[in-house]
Amino acid sequence: MFTITKKNKNTTIPVSIRFNEELHAKIKEFTDKHDVSFNSLVLQCCEYALDNYAENE
């Protein structure tokens, strides 16, 4: 199950990511509601997706 932590990891590599307006608005609304940074949520979602990816065999 995906849970959000408020711990800030040492993020030192700047990367640009492009979002469509709808997804950006959903993420921004979520981060505002849960008092977590946009960057932190995106990183945690990426880590969760990679850790829980099940390859089709």
Side-chain angles (χ1 to χ4, degrees), residues 5-37:
T5 63
K6 296 196 178 186
K7 293 181 185 177
N8 288 329
K9 292 188 175 183
N10 187 12
T11 56
T12 58
I13 302 172
V15 176
S16 295
I17 301 174
R18 291 179 178 85
F19 293 93
N20 62 41
E21 289 181 32
E22 182 181 347
L23 180 57
H24 182 269
K26 285 181 181 180
I27 296 171
K28 181 69 174 124
E29 181 180 337
F30 188 94
T31 59
D32 290 346
K33 181 178 178 180
H34 295 283
D35 192 32
V36 62
S37 75

Side-chain angles (χ1 to χ4, degrees), residues 40-53:
S40 179
L41 179 63
V42 171
L43 290 174
Q44 290 178 60
C45 287
C46 289
E47 284 183 2
Y48 180 82
L50 291 171
D51 290 346
N52 293 281
Y53 177 74

